[in-house]
Amino acid sequence: VLTDESPHFVGWGTGEADEDARLVRQLKSPDVLRRWEAAMGLLRHPLTPLTRRALRQALGDDDPEVGHAAAEVLAR
């Protein structure tokens, strides 16, 4: 998908006002997949102080894939 006008575009996030806060809470989930999804979900959002702080904490996650996802988001 190159643009939001592509027929395969499904949207950037849910559009919920509190989506960033929800993803930050999800970064603390006991489920590794949910933490990874939360980190990757923040990829399409402008970083805020709240999300930056949460992603920096996620760099030290017990699961290296979550830490890698957080690093990728912070690097972009």
Side-chain angles (χ1 to χ4, degrees):
V1 176
L2 299 177
T3 72
D4 57 3
E5 295 183 16
S6 167
H8 302 289
F9 179 75
V10 293
W12 305 122
T14 64
E16 298 170 12
D18 67 339
E19 186 171 13
D20 284 352
R22 181 185 59 77
L23 290 170
V24 166
R25 285 190 306 273
Q26 189 174 325
L27 276 171
K28 297 176 181 168
S29 170
D31 183 306
V32 172
L33 180 58
R34 293 196 38 89
R35 293 195 310 270
W36 181 85
E37 289 173 342
M40 294 309 291
L42 289 168
L43 188 61
R44 299 288 183 201
H45 294 254
L47 294 180
T48 66
L50 173 70
T51 56
R52 273 191 199 95
R53 186 171 34 255
L55 286 165
R56 280 195 304 264
Q57 289 173 347
L59 290 172
D61 194 275
D62 291 339
D63 188 277
E65 292 298 322
V66 175
H68 183 266
E72 184 176 341
V73 174
L74 287 167
R76 289 186 184 195

